[in-house]
């Protein structure tokens, strides 16, 4: 059985960091490639050796420790458009960025904050300043020092007025960032931030080489320079991104054993858009790691003894969103009517093979702020309510079962992106709405194109999914301040905005969770989304790969990994 280590401690809320510096794990001796010292040979008296006998040769002592060398290949469904952490967010980036870049702190699989570039930090009693102390001797891939000035430079890029980073809004409460000395960085806040540590563990908050950014300009996105365990070797557009070991790496997070450079020669991220092709490549040994959320593939690989399956907790929700600013979904009655036409149990069974749980609230069940009592506000499957609400909204049902208003037929477009099992879910939704007399055209685009079209509001229905490590995900997706970026449905409710803003400042975990419950009650009453289900995800690892470590949000650490050629 291969070794896979996953931290299984209880979830510790990020806000508890405000009580003081996080403990720094004691240094762990890195495994060595040096041979074991030879043991003294046993002395054999000469008289016992016959003249023709040849003394037995001492056995050779083999080196201990992990074997260095080889590459691990991971399949990428969508190729990133760029690898600048401060650039516009896109599919595939978050998979590759953590290998090239480091963040000030990291989060383990329980979302507990751990040291990374910063060896320690102190939070003031009023939570209006945080001082980080950096480790000594950290360098970027270009040989320049990663010091306090580089940290300030990186964060100022993130929060610049023209920033397209998804992190910018989450850093709004940061009033100033100062390099106190070469190893000390001070963040001052205009108000306490309960989301700060969740924000800075994201790969989109990674620290970049100022020298490389200034030299390359926009080209930095294609030639990224960070301080991570691997560095870019080659990017063959449309084919693969190849990384090589950073020999100078010596500042790994405490979730791994190997503090130094990875044992692997490198990692390859191979662009394979089709899920079935990925599965075939895995079983053929052409790729080593694939992300799974298709139930038939999970079931198939459970029978394959050459593949190991690791369950992932991504704090995820799959939902159907309504375009709030375009008819017919600018009318609450129509949003409610269409929501009542969706049978989530059928979606989970038919499109997700039973691997998942029907959802009723906009918060993932694994995040603080989820509350079972919210189910009382669910717009549950009720096709009779659909007909009643459409009639109340002024629609007339024709003899063929279709609906129209003022002579305009009710026909919808559903936008989604090419990620399994979106096509299957979209098809089930299409059939369910057709059953109540509403035809739906499915538009499935690659992730960047779908993202642009969603932000531009070029759709009626939106099939989407989020994965996030903090309940601030509601703010990211539904705050009116995010309209035109991550609020793709253009939802706006000032009372909800005020609650989400208050939750982002609340440092008491229980009080913060309750604020999110109240916000969800209002959101569910407004129905900008119809929550569909909580997905089940797996990482499939070929048996030749040992010692993969999982971190927060399903991130795969390869610091300890080795391969059997």
């Amino acid at each position: 059985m291969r070794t896979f280590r996953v931290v299984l401690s209880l979830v510790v809320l990020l806000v508890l960091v405000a009580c003081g510096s996080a403990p720094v794990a004691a240094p762990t001796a890195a495994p060595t490639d040096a041979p074991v010292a030879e043991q003294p040979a046993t002395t054999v008296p000469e008289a016992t050796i016959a003249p023709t006998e040849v003394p037995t040769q001492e056995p050779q002592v083999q080196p201990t420790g992990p074997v260095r060398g080889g590459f691990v290949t991971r399949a990428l469904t969508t190729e990133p458009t760029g690898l600048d952490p401060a650039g516009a967010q896109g599919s595939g980036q978050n998979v590759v960025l953590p290998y090239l870049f480091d963040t000030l702190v990291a989060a383990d699989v329980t979302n507990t904050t751990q040291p990374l570039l910063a060896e320690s930090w102190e939070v003031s009693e009023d939570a209006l300043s945080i001082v980080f102390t950096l480790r000594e001797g950290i360098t970027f891939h270009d040989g320049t020092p990663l010091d306090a000035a580089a940290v300030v430079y990186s964060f100022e890029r993130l929060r610049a007025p023209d920033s397209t980073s998804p992190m910018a809004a989450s850093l709004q409460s940061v009033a100033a960032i100062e390099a106190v000395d070469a190893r000390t960085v001070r963040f001052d806040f205009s108000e306490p931030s309960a989301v700060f540590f969740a924000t800075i563990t994201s790969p989109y908050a990674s620290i970049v080489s100022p020298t490389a950014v200034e030299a390359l300009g926009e080209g930095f996105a294609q030639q990224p320079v960070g301080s991570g365990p691997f560095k870019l070797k080659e990017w063959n557009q449309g084919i693969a991104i190849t990384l090589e070991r950073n020999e100078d790496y010596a500042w790994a997070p405490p979730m791994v054993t190997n503090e130094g450079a990875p044992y692997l020669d490198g990692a390859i991220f191979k662009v394979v858009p089709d899920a079935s092709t990925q599965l075939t490549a895995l079983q053929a040994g052409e790729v080593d790691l694939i992300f799974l959320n298709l139930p038939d593939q999970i079931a198939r690989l459970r029978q394959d003894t050459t593949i190991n399956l690791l369950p992932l907790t991504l704090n995820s929700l799959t939902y159907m969103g309504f375009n709030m600013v375009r008819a017919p979904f600018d009318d609450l009655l129509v949003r409610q009517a269409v929501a009542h036409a969706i049978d989530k149990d059928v979606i989970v069974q038919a499109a997700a093979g039973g691997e998942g749980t029907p959802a009723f609230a906009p918060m993932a069940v694994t995040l603080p702020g989820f509350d079972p009592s919210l189910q009382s506000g669910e717009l549950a499957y009720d096709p009779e309510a659909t007909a009643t609400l459409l009639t109340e909204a002024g629609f007339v049902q024709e003899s063929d079962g279709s609906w129209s208003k003022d002579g305009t037929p009710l026909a919808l477009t559903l936008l989604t992106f090419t990620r399994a099992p979106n096509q299957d879910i979209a098809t089930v939704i299409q059939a369910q709405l057709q059953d109540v007399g509403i035809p739906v055209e499915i538009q499935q685009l690659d992730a960047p194109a779908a993202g642009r079209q969603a932000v531009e509001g070029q759709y009626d229905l939106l099939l989407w999914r989020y994965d996030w490590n903090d309940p601030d995900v509601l703010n990211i997706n539904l705050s009116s301040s995010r309209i035109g970026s991550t609020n793709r449905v253009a939802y706006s409710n000032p009372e909800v905005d005020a609650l989400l803003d208050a939750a982002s400042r609340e440092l008491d975990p229980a009080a913060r969770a309750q604020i999110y419950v109240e916000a969800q009650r209002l959101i569910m009453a407004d129905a900008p989304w119809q929550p569909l289900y909580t997905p089940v995800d797996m990482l499939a690892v070929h048996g030749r790969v040992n010692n993969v470590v999982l971190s927060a949000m399903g991130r795969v650490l390869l610091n300890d990994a080795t391969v059997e050629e």
Side-chain angles (χ1 to χ4, degrees), residues 291 293 314 316-319 417 419 464-467 535 537:
F291 173 84
N293 61 359
L314 300 182
S316 308
L317 180 77
T318 298
Y319 64 90
F417 57 98
R419 174 180 180 175
W464 218 256
R465 165 178 165 157
Y466 72 67
D467 312 283
D537 303 310

Side-chain angles (χ1 to χ4, degrees), residues 380-465:
Y381 178 59
D382 185 352
E384 292 184 2
T386 297
T388 301
L389 289 163
L390 285 178
T391 301
E392 187 178 347
F395 285 85
V396 176
Q397 190 164 29
E398 308 296 340
S399 58
D400 62 358
S402 64
W403 296 85
S404 64
K405 182 177 182 179
D406 300 328
T408 302
L410 178 58
L412 306 174
T413 60
L414 186 153
L415 173 66
T416 191
F417 57 98
T418 51
R419 174 180 180 175
N422 285 356
Q423 179 63 48
D424 293 335
I425 299 171
T427 301
V428 173
I429 291 173
Q430 182 185 49
Q432 291 182 348
L433 291 181
Q434 183 63 57
D435 287 343
V436 295
I438 305 173
V440 175
E441 176 189 351
I442 298 172
Q443 295 181 347
Q444 187 171 29
L445 308 176
D446 62 61
R452 288 191 299 270
Q453 192 157 315
V455 169
E456 293 168 0
Q458 300 302 311
Y459 70 92
D460 297 313
L461 295 169
L462 182 70
L463 175 59
W464 218 256
R465 165 178 165 157

Side-chain angles (χ1 to χ4, degrees), residues 250-314:
W251 41 88
M255 293 87 80
V256 299
T257 301
N258 173 24
E259 293 182 326
Y263 304 123
L264 298 171
D265 289 333
I268 300 170
F269 297 88
K270 190 174 182 180
V271 182
V272 186
D274 180 67
S276 61
T277 305
Q278 289 185 10
L279 179 65
T280 301
L282 175 74
Q283 294 188 297
E286 296 169 3
V287 301
D288 302 303
L289 299 116
I290 67 171
F291 173 84
L292 290 175
N293 61 359
L294 287 176
D296 58 332
Q297 292 190 347
I298 293 173
R300 178 175 169 183
L301 289 182
R302 280 179 175 147
Q303 307 303 315
D304 190 333
T305 58
T306 67
I307 306 298
N308 294 291
L309 295 180
L310 305 183
L312 302 176
T313 300
L314 300 182

Side-chain angles (χ1 to χ4, degrees), residues 78-93:
T78 304
E79 182 179 26
T81 55
L83 291 171
D84 181 353
Q89 185 176 359
S91 184
Q93 282 175 309

Side-chain angles (χ1 to χ4, degrees), residues 126-128 172-174 189-193 501 504-505:
D126 60 7
L128 292 180
Q172 285 181 346
S173 62
V174 176
F189 298 82
S190 58
E191 57 189 13
S193 175
D501 186 55
S504 72
R505 300 191 307 270

